[in-house]
Amino acid sequence: MSRSITVLAPATVANVVCGFDVLGFALATPTDTMHLRLTDTPGVSIINEDDYNLPTEPTRNVAGAALLALLREAPAGTGIEVRIQKNIKPGSGIGSSAASAAGAVVGANELLGNPFSQEDLVRFAMFGEEVASGVQHADNIAPAIYGGVTLIRATEPRLDIVPLPAPELHVTVVHPQIEIKTSDARQILKKEVLLKDAIRQWGNVGGLVAGLLKSDYDLIGRSLEDVIIEPVRSILIPGFAAVKEQSRLAGALGGGISGSGPSIFMLSRTEETAQAVARAMQQIYQDLGIDFHTYVTRISPGGVRVVPTEQLHAHAVL
Amino acid sequence: MSRSITVLAPATVANVVCGFDVLGFALATPTDTMHLRLTDTPGVSIINEDDYNLPTEPTRNVAGAALLALLREAPAGTGIEVRIQKNIKPGSGIGSSAASAAGAVVGANELLGNPFSQEDLVRFAMFGEEVASGVQHADNIAPAIYGGVTLIRATEPRLDIVPLPAPELHVTVVHPQIEIKTSDARQILKKEVLLKDAIRQWGNVGGLVAGLLKSDYDLIGRSLEDVIIEPVRSILIPGFAAVKEQSRLAGALGGGISGSGPSIFMLSRTEETAQAVARAMQQIYQDLGIDFHTYVTRISPGGVRVVPTEQLHAHAVL
């Protein structure tokens, strides 16, 4: 048990195509770097080491709210300071706020000698998501903490998180630099859907889960279809249809909107294909004249990672 | 390749709780016994060896319509006679028509030297279902042919059937002797559902598929929840709520309406529990004064079974 620690908190993709509100996965990169230490001052203090101008008042900061939730169940008088180097751009749709919240509680748990379960940590981190979006959702938090692909089977009467074994999958993400507010993306959804569309969707969810557990890439590809959310939300993302079409032509299994956008992700069987997909995406946004960033990475089997001391020193040298 | 053959065609459960229209499984018992033989008279002839007074005109008979579909792709001049001993009561909700259709096409395929794939056979048998219910659905046909648990991921642009490996599961079925027409059961469903209910449902579909593939009985049990169809349809089945409650108390993992009812099925981990569930069901319908039949069986890994000659003779002796 040390007094200070560094964690790497991964970006995550939620609302995985047909799996709106239930399926998510962790990315190997990008990650936020967070340094946490125990202090003699009870409570939480936040230091932002980036240019995003995020709040430092703990109740208004994503990591802060998550830590305050954890401290309510920790020994009285515990004090934690966290320094955050954000590499995952807020508002990009790849779980920036979830990374901060998940990294904070995993780091704090490690500092305290791991008294809390993964489910506890998800529960704490969800208070961070509430600060970011007004809703306590676990779609990004669960994969950020568990790693790999996670299914949120249900949220009531209690949160039921199901880790799903998955074969090697490479991910290409494009983040067109436009702003979509999560609240706006929620508002354009209809409260009611056609039963026949819902049936098609849960057929695909069943297919996707089976494809992952059976390592059946073709089935994964066929199941990456969303007949409910994507037709509505994709109109908010310029170039969406072209990205989808060109990515499939480049060999991607399929993909869709990451979270509530504007990022779009595509899954591929090999890194080579994932690179070809990135080139196709780049061409589209260059042609549209929209600034963008692409990532070529893979689904990470692990979630928030505590960096060993040696690696820490290597980091410090860099 | 012989000129005559006997097949056992299994009962099936469709609309498996949350998996409305997409999940089904085959039962080890009851089965219909069907004798098929090649004849020199082109076309199909049907002989019913039971008291159900089903049509013998091939276009109006479930097995007949399925065989006519198969014959359209078989060598010209092929003639098939089928004698049907129905043990699965029509209208019980455990795939009586699907058994006849599936048994007929599997038997014919065997007689012809197996020129057709399982997907072909499902496609032919669906013409039988159309005769029975007016709709070409594969929910019962797929498990009757493939065996085990099957997922119909999608029906368009082409039928996509996913066999799902499952752990040992025991099944208790109660058939209260009341009539529910499939068309009535369809009509009382709303065309639209709440998005939040649909999300809950596809979370459960994901959980159930994962539970089956991971042999996680607790997860299977938690996922056996239907927030969309059951609340509407269960009002057509007297005693439904009591059956569900008492079955869980007797140790069942969970269950629900079989097909469009009136049968109710429950899954259990052991045969002992499945027997206890049957006793609970019997008590309820005795108290209600409704005639009923119960089956204690298990999910059958196989579908329609071609009976070997030795077994045939043993049958003949019985």
Side-chain angles (χ1 to χ4, degrees):
Chain A
M1 212 165 116
S2 80
R3 296 276 299 176
S4 73
I5 207 167
T6 297
V7 298
L8 300 178
T12 46
V13 169
N15 296 338
V16 181
V17 198
C18 49
F20 179 72
D21 259 11
V22 306
L23 287 172
F25 57 77
L27 297 174
T29 57
T31 57
D32 285 350
T33 306
M34 303 173 73
H35 308 280
L36 293 97
R37 68 181 183 93
L38 292 175
T39 66
D40 297 327
T41 318
V44 175
S45 73
I46 306 283
I47 302 163
N48 292 317
E49 300 193 326
D50 50 52
D51 305 325
Y52 294 120
N53 221 4
L54 297 168
T56 53
E57 166 65 30
T59 56
R60 293 180 53 232
N61 179 284
V62 165
L67 288 172
L68 289 173
L70 178 145
L71 287 185
R72 284 196 286 274
E73 301 182 23
T78 304
I80 294 175
E81 179 198 270
V82 53
R83 286 187 294 128
I84 308 173
Q85 296 168 350
K86 261 211 125 16
N87 305 308
I88 310 166
K89 197 171 172 179
S92 53
I94 50 171
S96 178
S97 57
S100 296
V105 297
V106 171
N109 192 40
E110 182 81 13
L111 285 176
L112 296 172
N114 292 304
F116 299 113
S117 70
Q118 283 186 310
E119 287 204 8
D120 289 334
L121 296 179
V122 170
R123 190 162 48 80
F124 300 145
M126 285 168 73
F127 284 90
E129 285 292 51
E130 193 174 12
V131 167
S133 70
V135 186
Q136 276 210 13
H137 64 98
D139 317 20
N140 293 90
I141 296 288
I145 288 178
Y146 284 74
V149 184
T150 56
L151 168 74
I152 312 282
R153 187 195 62 81
T155 54
E156 289 176 359
R158 67 174 196 79
L159 191 63
D160 189 359
I161 299 167
V162 182
L164 300 176
E168 183 176 315
L169 280 165
H170 297 266
V171 189
T172 318
V173 176
V174 61
H175 173 208
Q177 313 275 308
I178 59 164
E179 196 189 347
I180 295 181
K181 285 191 179 150
T182 304
S183 53
D184 291 350
R186 277 246 157 219
Q187 262 170 354
I188 65 165
L189 296 179
K190 291 181 191 145
K191 285 206 163 49
E192 295 207 324
V193 300
L194 289 174
L195 175 58
K196 76 174 180 60
D197 289 342
I199 292 166
R200 176 102 188 176
Q201 196 89 343
W202 66 60
N204 279 317
V205 169
L208 183 50
V209 171
L212 292 168
L213 271 72
K214 294 170 90 170
S215 297
D216 181 337
Y217 288 99
D218 286 343
L219 178 56
I220 292 170
R222 296 199 301 279
S223 306
L224 288 171
E225 177 192 62
D226 174 1
V227 297
I228 292 183
I229 310 300
E230 183 182 291
V232 180
R233 280 195 172 168
S234 61
I235 56 174
L236 298 175
I237 306 172
F240 181 83
V243 167
K244 216 173 132 180
E245 192 187 338
Q246 294 302 316
S247 298
R248 290 254 190 186
L249 287 175
L253 296 167
I257 302 167
S258 177
S260 52
S263 286
I264 305 170
F265 78 95
M266 287 287 151
L267 296 178
S268 297
R269 200 165 167 167
T270 66
E271 195 193 328
E272 197 185 357
T273 304
Q275 295 285 5
V277 169
R279 287 190 295 275
M281 290 168 165
Q282 288 155 6
Q283 189 62 56
I284 288 163
Y285 286 104
Q286 274 162 17
D287 292 351
L288 286 172
I290 294 173
D291 283 346
F292 63 91
H293 194 85
T294 52
Y295 303 91
V296 176
T297 181
R298 57 186 175 77
I299 295 185
S300 166
V304 175
R305 196 153 56 88
V306 178
V307 185
T309 319
E310 319 81 82
Q311 216 169 323
L312 251 182
H313 288 166
H315 261 259
V317 170
L318 282 175
Chain B
M1 214 167 114
S2 80
R3 297 276 298 175
S4 73
I5 208 169
T6 297
V7 297
L8 301 178
T12 45
V13 169
N15 297 337
V16 181
V17 197
C18 48
F20 180 71
D21 260 10
V22 306
L23 287 172
F25 57 78
L27 297 175
T29 58
T31 57
D32 284 350
T33 306
M34 302 172 74
H35 308 281
L36 293 97
R37 68 180 184 93
L38 292 175
T39 67
D40 298 327
T41 317
V44 175
S45 74
I46 305 284
I47 302 162
N48 292 316
E49 300 194 325
D50 50 51
D51 305 326
Y52 294 120
N53 221 4
L54 296 169
T56 52
E57 167 66 28
T59 55
R60 295 179 53 232
N61 179 285
V62 164
L67 288 172
L68 289 173
L70 178 144
L71 287 185
R72 284 197 287 274
E73 300 181 24
T78 305
I80 294 176
E81 178 199 271
V82 54
R83 287 187 291 127
I84 308 172
Q85 296 170 348
K86 261 212 127 13
N87 304 309
I88 309 167
K89 196 171 173 181
S92 53
I94 50 171
S96 179
S97 56
S100 296
V105 297
V106 171
N109 192 40
E110 182 82 12
L111 285 176
L112 296 171
N114 292 303
F116 299 112
S117 69
Q118 283 187 310
E119 287 204 8
D120 289 335
L121 297 178
V122 170
R123 190 162 48 81
F124 301 144
M126 284 168 73
F127 284 90
E129 285 292 50
E130 193 175 12
V131 168
S133 70
V135 186
Q136 276 212 14
H137 64 97
D139 318 20
N140 293 90
I141 296 289
I145 287 178
Y146 284 75
V149 184
T150 56
L151 168 74
I152 313 282
R153 187 195 62 81
T155 54
E156 288 176 1
R158 66 172 197 81
L159 191 64
D160 189 359
I161 299 167
V162 182
L164 300 176
E168 183 175 316
L169 280 165
H170 296 266
V171 188
T172 318
V173 176
V174 61
H175 174 209
Q177 313 275 307
I178 59 164
E179 195 188 348
I180 296 181
K181 284 191 180 151
T182 304
S183 52
D184 291 350
R186 278 244 157 219
Q187 262 170 355
I188 64 165
L189 296 180
K190 290 180 193 149
K191 287 209 161 44
E192 295 207 324
V193 299
L194 290 175
L195 175 59
K196 76 174 180 61
D197 289 342
I199 292 167
R200 176 104 189 176
Q201 195 89 344
W202 65 61
N204 279 317
V205 169
L208 182 51
V209 170
L212 291 169
L213 270 72
K214 295 170 89 170
S215 296
D216 181 337
Y217 288 99
D218 285 342
L219 177 56
I220 292 170
R222 296 199 301 280
S223 305
L224 288 170
E225 175 192 64
D226 173 2
V227 297
I228 292 183
I229 311 300
E230 182 181 292
V232 180
R233 280 194 172 168
S234 61
I235 56 174
L236 298 174
I237 307 172
F240 181 84
V243 166
K244 216 173 131 180
E245 191 186 339
Q246 293 301 315
S247 296
R248 292 254 190 187
L249 287 175
L253 296 167
I257 302 168
S258 177
S260 51
S263 286
I264 306 168
F265 78 95
M266 287 287 151
L267 297 178
S268 297
R269 203 168 165 165
T270 67
E271 195 194 327
E272 196 184 358
T273 304
Q275 295 285 4
V277 169
R279 288 191 295 274
M281 291 168 164
Q282 288 156 6
Q283 188 63 55
I284 289 163
Y285 286 104
Q286 275 163 15
D287 292 351
L288 286 171
I290 294 173
D291 283 344
F292 64 90
H293 194 85
T294 52
Y295 304 91
V296 176
T297 180
R298 58 187 175 75
I299 295 185
S300 166
V304 175
R305 194 152 57 88
V306 178
V307 185
T309 319
E310 320 81 81
Q311 217 169 325
L312 251 181
H313 289 166
H315 261 260
V317 170
L318 282 173

